[in-house]
Amino acid sequence: MAQFSGGGYLTFGILVLLGTRVPATLARGPRGGALQHGQSGTLPRFLEEPVDAYIVKSNPIKLRCRARPALQIFFKCNGEWVHQSQHVSQEHTDLGTGLKNREVTINVSRQQVEDFHGPEDYWCLCVAWSHLGTSKSRKATVRIAYLRKNFEQDPQGTEVPLDGMIVLHCRPPEGVPAAEVEWLKNEEPLDSSSSDDIGPQSRGGHNLIVSEARLFDSGNYTCVASNIVARRRSATATVVVYVNGGWSSWTDWSPCNVRCGRGVQKRSRTCTNPAPLGGGAFCEGMSVQKSTCNTLCPVDGGWAEWSEWSACGSDCERQRGRECTAPEPKHGGRLCDGVALATDNCTGGLCTQNRKLLHDAEPQGVESSGDVALYSGLAAGVVTVVLLIVAVTLYRRSQSQYGVDVIDSSALTGGFQSFSFKTCRQANPLLINSSMQPDLTVSRTYTSPMCFQDSVDKELMAERSLLDPLPDVKVKGVAERAEYHVTSHPQTFPRGPAPDYRGVVVGMTLGRGGQNLLAPQVSSPPGRRLNRATAVFGHAGGRLVVPNTGISLLVPHGGIAEDTTWETYMNIHQEDSSDVSEEGPEIFLSPAVTYGPPGLRLSCPVAMTVAHCAEVAADNWTVRLKRQLQDNKWEEVVSVDADSTSCYCLLEPHRCHVLLGHPGRYALVGEPLNQDAAKRLRLAAFGSPDAGNPLGFSLRVYCVDDTPHAFQEVAVGERSRGGQLLEEPKTMLFRGNTFSLQVSIQDVPQLLWSIKPFTTCQEFSFAQVWAGEQRPLRCAFSLERYNHSSSQLSCKIAVRQVKGEERILQVYTSVVESEKGAVPFFTQSDCTITSQTGSRAFKIPPSIRQRISATFDTANAKGKDWRLLAQKLHIDRNLSYFACQESPSSVILSLWEAQHQDSGDLDSLASALEEISKVQTPRTSTLSCSRKDSEFAQLG
């Protein structure tokens, strides 16, 4: 800041001299002129002193002083006088007192503060002069305001039980002035004085503490720090309040399951007291109890011998009787059939009654006697057959060498419960939907396709008596939690850059024993979105899912060596069919999926599930699994219908399950065998107002492969441009008959809307649709309404292949609605949890899986081995692949797990085990393992 010159000091000297002489002059005379103008003999008193200030960005600040009475006011900063030219002064006289008020302001710039280097902060004060002397104001400091970007401590997500304590720590970024902290819950400010937003809470410094957590305390919490410069948000912490399940009371025992003899009765209980909520643990113990029961067999009544005939009476009749005492009916048995009293004419028909021969009246009891013999014979036959069936059943059970847990489905259906999961989290992959309170009061069965809900303890119970015949394998009671954030373990491989298995940039990692693993880095093709999921798996295995794409990877239990973890990943690439084969009509039927790292070592194959768009109901395709080499060429691994010992493919109508032993990039490709070969297309119509025309409306129609990944790309793009889904997507078959695809708009109200000429029908060539030369395939229709009163649009979109199928999309929408629902990716909520580890990732509990494998891996005289298990699970093709595995049964169960990841029950496995228990014929077929695919085995 500029300092005073010599002239400035002279001015101050004159002012000081006047200050000492003028009071003396005034004192000598009566009321002088000065007193008449209100200049009383007092020191200046500050009416306004300079206050501490902060410089925001490059904006200068003003310091202000006001004193009365004051002849002059000057600022002094950092011990030096501020130049007079930098002062802005104002002076006026108080009419009430006649004293002079003087106000002075100066500007302080950022440059001045930055150039000052002293032991303390930049400061200024003001000095005021009157006739009696000077007065000094307080010091005002001037500092440069700032707020750093990174929080010193972000709040961390947590899971707490009901009525537990929630503690969220927050240390705001460094700043001047110090930042103030507030908390947001689901993007809404948290009112600490209200108990409606959150349970009883307190603040420890900047921390948020909830002493008694309630269910509605679950949500996304964000720490917000702000000062006069900026406002910073911490990472969002997801808090889940869970309730552990509790058993209800036992029901009454059911009736005995047999009508006669020894049987079984059951009673059950449910895990609803309370039901597990928010990821709470499922109840431990059995949900069903069984007990033996004995039911007294019913005894049907039987007739005793007839008594002797009575004497002939006056009515010419005689009688005899019998009793139902041989035996008496007991325990609900049937009464005797027939008559108990028989009557007969005792005169040979010579005696008459009412002038008629008695033999004209039909004798009683004769026909009934024949019925008694018939019914008695039938009853004896029925009893004999029942006893024979019971004896054969008991004999077969006593001769079976398998335990009930392998034969009886109750080991899988009665011993386990459906798994409960929390509601799906949406939006940000690590957050619950920030715009909506998560509904954790309802548990539901896991049925969402290819999407993890947050998992619960799934180490379910089986009756110990059912498992006794199997090898003694202890059941573990603890399962790992689902992985939300993946951090590298000190022994996690690899530690280098995450590879994508093709390219030239190489990162080096170390495996066990210091072995080098070369990890080529992949550069994703320009313009393509890269979908990726990663997780750290160990010996317990797990499942990795790329959300909303229909693609997952299952790493079996024991596939990774103990005390070793691998950071496993999956990438999805949408390839052009022009790259798959230089010659031939092959096209991609699925996205290309890469899993790694390349140096991943497995003791058993992983199961990869990939969605495809081929119509495989008819045999019109040759479907192959191909792998991309480092020179970007694709090499055939196996044909889906062929046998191989290096790879196994199980093709379903909408997806394919592949057992792989080597990381890499894989894709399903198809070669049409005839013109009837078809691929499925998904059709969707989106619309949005025309930004450049207030009366315009843009309608866009997409025709993409019917895979979740392809439609996800469309939905993401439309969401970014504000598009709205106008009709539920539909599927159609597009056949390989070389004919094009036509999209037309029909039934547009001509009096309300206009459309550009020659755009009502648009066409795509066969190659564009069949080979995916344009992704995504889209056509647009631009409409314009004649006036603002036309708010409704109704029309039809017809999509048809020439000489093929046709689909109609009915559009009916309001074009003036300000808000509509977001574009759905799928019918279920967006899922963002990409991995589960340990027993939570599998439908079959580890203990049951180990016992089934131990039972069926060993051949026996009755042929009940892994071959029969594969047959009953409908996985009986290419059995030579399983014969080459160390544990064929375990690999078969892994494939079954991949097949049934969408359902939460074990019915099909239980049914297969029941069918196996009924098989009596020994199997004599044998399989040999021949390593024919050595070239493929060397690629890994």
Side-chain angles (χ1 to χ4, degrees):
M1 179 170 297
Q3 308 300 324
F4 274 117
S5 63
Y9 288 114
L10 178 60
T11 303
F12 278 115
I14 295 173
L15 290 174
V16 172
L17 181 61
L18 289 175
T20 58
R21 291 183 176 272
V22 171
T25 304
L26 295 175
R28 283 197 300 268
R31 293 182 179 272
L35 291 176
Q36 293 175 1
H37 290 84
Q39 299 294 336
S40 62
T42 61
L43 291 173
R45 182 170 61 87
F46 286 99
L47 303 178
E48 182 179 354
E49 296 183 88
V51 296
D52 297 338
Y54 298 93
I55 295 178
V56 178
K57 297 182 180 179
S58 297
N59 301 320
I61 56 98
K62 291 182 180 293
L63 296 180
R64 179 179 289 105
C65 266
R66 188 158 57 91
R68 183 180 64 189
L71 297 175
Q72 287 291 344
I73 300 176
F74 285 95
F75 271 91
K76 193 175 187 179
C77 294
N78 302 319
E80 298 182 358
W81 294 103
V82 179
H83 196 276
Q84 184 177 4
S85 62
Q86 299 180 15
H87 292 72
V88 178
S89 300
Q90 294 181 352
E91 180 180 347
H92 67 275
T93 302
D94 191 335
L95 298 178
T97 61
L99 299 177
K100 284 187 178 182
N101 292 347
R102 182 174 292 275
E103 181 178 310
V104 176
T105 60
I106 64 170
N107 289 336
V108 179
S109 67
R110 183 185 184 99
Q111 188 65 39
Q112 289 175 302
V113 178
E114 289 179 345
D115 291 343
F116 173 69
H117 302 284
E120 54 186 350
D121 292 329
Y122 190 101
W123 60 268
C124 292
L125 58 80
C126 53
V127 181
W129 278 267
S130 71
H131 294 86
L132 291 184
T134 62
S135 296
K136 293 183 179 180
S137 70
R138 65 178 293 276
K139 284 185 178 181
T141 60
V142 180
R143 304 176 67 185
I144 297 175
Y146 67 92
L147 183 63
R148 304 205 182 279
K149 292 185 178 181
N150 297 326
F151 277 70
E152 295 184 3
Q153 183 178 8
D154 286 308
Q156 301 295 320
T158 183
E159 296 183 358
V160 296
L162 187 68
D163 298 328
M165 178 178 288
I166 303 173
V167 179
L168 298 177
H169 298 279
C170 177
R171 291 173 58 192
E174 177 187 353
V176 173
E180 297 182 355
V181 170
E182 64 174 335
W183 285 88
L184 303 180
K185 177 186 176 185
N186 297 331
E187 301 302 323
E188 295 293 334
L190 194 60
D191 185 4
S192 60
S193 62
S194 172
S195 61
D196 296 334
D197 295 334
I198 194 171
Q201 59 172 300
S202 62
R203 300 288 177 89
H206 300 306
N207 302 331
L208 179 64
I209 302 174
V210 182
S211 57
E212 295 181 5
R214 294 178 286 184
L215 286 177
F216 59 77
D217 291 332
S218 297
N220 302 315
Y221 290 83
T222 307
C223 180
V224 179
S226 60
N227 64 5
I228 59 176
V229 179
R231 177 184 173 92
R232 311 291 188 203
R233 292 168 55 97
S234 70
T236 300
T238 300
V239 174
V240 177
V241 179
Y242 63 85
V243 178
N244 291 325
W247 288 114
S248 65
S249 300
W250 289 101
T251 62
D252 295 333
W253 288 101
S254 67
C256 202
N257 65 340
V258 295
R259 187 168 177 262
C260 173
R262 178 170 180 156
V264 176
Q265 59 182 166
K266 300 179 182 180
R267 66 174 183 173
S268 62
R269 57 180 178 175
T270 58
C271 189
T272 56
N273 187 31
L277 297 175
F282 200 82
C283 302
E284 296 183 359
M286 295 182 298
S287 64
V288 177
Q289 277 188 346
K290 297 180 181 179
S291 176
T292 58
C293 55
N294 288 289
T295 304
L296 295 176
C297 295
V299 178
D300 295 334
W303 291 112
E305 296 293 331
W306 287 100
S307 63
E308 298 292 333
W309 287 105
S310 64
C312 191
S314 60
D315 54 358
C316 305
E317 292 181 348
R318 59 178 182 175
Q319 296 179 341
R320 67 174 181 177
R322 58 180 178 176
E323 295 182 351
C324 188
T325 58
E328 293 183 1
K330 296 181 181 179
H331 314 308
R334 291 185 302 175
L335 297 175
C336 298
D337 293 328
V339 296
L341 181 66
T343 303
D344 186 26
N345 188 285
C346 56
T347 62
L350 300 179
C351 183
T352 62
Q353 287 182 343
N354 299 328
R355 298 180 181 181
K356 291 184 179 181
L357 290 175
L358 284 180
H359 62 74
D360 292 340
E362 193 171 318
Q364 299 180 10
V366 177
E367 182 179 355
S368 298
S369 299
D371 291 343
V372 170
L374 175 63
Y375 290 138
S376 298
L378 290 177
V382 170
V383 171
T384 302
V385 171
V386 171
L387 293 176
L388 180 62
I389 292 174
V390 171
V392 171
T393 302
L394 294 177
Y395 173 79
R396 291 180 61 184
R397 287 191 178 181
S398 64
Q399 295 299 317
S400 175
Q401 61 178 326
Y402 286 91
V404 183
D405 60 328
V406 177
I407 299 172
D408 187 3
S409 64
S410 63
L412 293 172
T413 57
F416 308 130
Q417 293 290 329
S418 297
F419 313 142
S420 290
F421 297 89
K422 298 179 296 187
T423 55
C424 223
R425 301 181 181 178
Q426 302 179 353
N428 187 308
L430 298 179
L431 310 181
I432 304 172
N433 189 339
S434 60
S435 63
M436 180 175 62
Q437 178 72 19
D439 182 10
L440 300 178
T441 61
V442 180
S443 69
R444 56 188 186 184
T445 303
Y446 170 73
T447 57
S448 175
M450 301 301 295
C451 168
F452 285 132
Q453 320 290 350
D454 288 358
S455 59
V456 297
D457 265 339
K458 201 180 61 179
E459 188 67 44
L460 301 173
M461 72 305 291
E463 294 183 59
R464 186 172 301 276
S465 61
L466 299 181
L467 300 178
D468 287 341
L470 291 179
D472 186 15
V473 179
K474 295 183 178 179
V475 180
K476 296 182 180 179
V478 179
E480 294 88 351
R481 289 279 178 185
E483 293 287 339
Y484 290 87
H485 302 277
V486 177
T487 56
S488 296
H489 189 274
Q491 295 182 352
T492 298
F493 310 128
R495 299 193 186 100
D500 206 350
Y501 205 69
R502 62 173 192 173
V504 293
V505 180
V506 176
M508 180 173 294
T509 61
L510 290 179
R512 247 197 221 180
Q515 185 175 2
N516 293 337
L517 304 175
L518 298 181
Q521 183 74 16
V522 171
S523 56
S524 60
R528 299 291 188 193
R529 292 182 64 254
L530 184 63
N531 295 274
R532 181 181 178 87
T534 62
V536 174
F537 293 134
H539 185 71
R543 191 189 303 273
L544 183 62
V545 169
V546 182
N548 303 326
T549 61
I551 294 172
S552 66
L553 183 74
L554 185 140
V555 180
H557 177 84
I560 298 176
E562 293 184 357
D563 301 327
T564 303
T565 57
W566 284 91
E567 184 175 4
T568 310
Y569 64 86
M570 281 199 303
N571 293 336
I572 302 178
H573 317 264
Q574 196 70 47
E575 301 284 349
D576 292 331
S577 293
S578 58
D579 301 332
V580 68
S581 177
E582 298 179 356
E583 54 183 21
E586 288 184 326
I587 63 171
F588 279 102
L589 299 176
S590 74
V593 181
T594 303
Y595 91 91
L600 178 62
R601 297 177 180 176
L602 298 170
S603 60
C604 56
V606 299
M608 180 191 295
T609 299
V610 182
H612 66 82
C613 63
E615 178 62 26
V616 295
D619 296 330
N620 298 321
W621 288 95
T622 296
V623 181
R624 300 182 180 92
L625 178 70
K626 288 199 171 185
R627 169 179 171 138
Q628 191 174 33
L629 304 178
Q630 294 187 1
D631 58 358
N632 293 338
K633 293 183 179 180
W634 290 87
E635 179 187 59
E636 179 177 344
V637 177
V638 66
S639 177
V640 170
D641 296 327
D643 290 348
S644 172
T645 59
S646 63
C647 179
Y648 189 98
C649 293
L650 180 62
L651 188 64
E652 294 180 346
H654 291 85
R655 58 186 182 178
C656 182
H657 309 287
V658 185
L659 296 177
L660 298 169
H662 305 280
R665 178 175 296 181
Y666 298 87
L668 284 178
V669 301
E671 179 181 359
L673 301 179
N674 50 55
Q675 291 190 352
D676 291 331
K679 60 185 289 188
R680 297 187 312 276
L681 297 181
R682 184 175 297 190
L683 314 176
F686 295 81
S688 62
D690 191 343
N693 183 0
L695 296 177
F697 188 82
S698 177
L699 196 151
R700 296 173 295 278
V701 181
Y702 292 87
C703 307
V704 297
D705 291 348
D706 185 26
T707 62
H709 174 256
F711 185 69
Q712 182 191 35
E713 290 190 328
V714 171
V716 169
E718 281 297 324
R719 181 175 294 173
S720 64
R721 62 167 55 97
Q724 296 156 2
L725 187 62
L726 305 180
E727 166 73 336
E728 280 293 323
K730 295 185 178 181
T731 59
M732 71 172 289
L733 295 182
F734 186 83
R735 302 198 178 276
N737 54 13
T738 70
F739 289 100
S740 60
L741 185 73
Q742 295 177 347
V743 183
S744 60
I745 184 169
Q746 305 171 1
D747 298 342
V748 177
Q750 299 296 325
L751 299 179
L752 302 177
W753 291 85
S754 65
I755 187 171
K756 289 183 178 181
F758 311 110
T759 62
T760 56
C761 183
Q762 303 180 31
E763 187 169 0
F764 298 105
S765 68
F766 174 82
Q768 286 179 298
V769 183
W770 187 255
E773 293 181 356
Q774 178 183 342
R775 295 181 188 274
L777 206 61
R778 182 188 74 180
C779 64
F781 301 95
S782 296
L783 296 92
E784 184 176 358
R785 46 188 172 146
Y786 290 111
N787 53 64
H788 289 280
S789 61
S790 303
S791 61
Q792 301 294 327
L793 171 63
S794 63
C795 63
K796 293 180 180 178
I797 304 294
V799 183
R800 64 179 292 268
Q801 184 185 14
V802 178
K803 297 186 178 180
E805 288 190 359
E806 182 180 21
R807 290 289 182 269
I808 300 295
L809 299 176
Q810 181 67 54
V811 175
Y812 184 82
T813 185
S814 174
V815 298
V816 297
E817 290 182 14
S818 58
E819 293 184 5
K820 289 189 177 181
V823 176
F825 276 56
F826 306 97
T827 55
Q828 82 274 16
S829 300
D830 288 0
C831 299
T832 56
I833 297 181
T834 60
S835 66
Q836 285 183 316
T837 59
S839 59
R840 296 170 176 274
F842 306 101
K843 298 291 184 292
I844 308 173
S847 58
I848 302 299
R849 181 189 181 99
Q850 291 174 0
R851 295 196 178 193
I852 292 177
S853 299
T855 300
F856 289 98
D857 280 347
T858 304
N860 59 80
K862 292 189 175 182
K864 296 182 179 180
D865 57 5
W866 61 267
R867 298 169 181 82
L868 184 58
L869 177 65
Q871 177 186 346
K872 296 303 180 182
L873 294 179
H874 308 291
I875 311 176
D876 53 346
R877 188 189 59 79
N878 192 12
L879 293 183
S880 59
Y881 175 83
F882 301 106
C884 297
Q885 304 301 321
E886 181 178 351
S887 175
S889 301
S890 179
V891 179
I892 291 171
L893 294 178
S894 296
L895 187 57
W896 182 91
E897 289 269 5
Q899 279 186 280
H900 297 82
Q901 56 187 303
D902 293 348
S903 60
D905 58 68
L906 301 169
D907 290 344
S908 63
L909 182 58
S911 299
L913 296 179
E914 276 189 335
E915 292 179 12
I916 292 175
S917 68
K918 302 174 183 179
V919 175
Q920 298 296 330
T921 304
R923 296 170 57 91
T924 59
S925 60
T926 60
L927 292 174
S928 61
C929 174
S930 60
R931 301 287 184 180
K932 297 181 180 180
D933 298 312
S934 58
E935 295 182 1
F936 176 81
Q938 295 173 358
L939 289 176

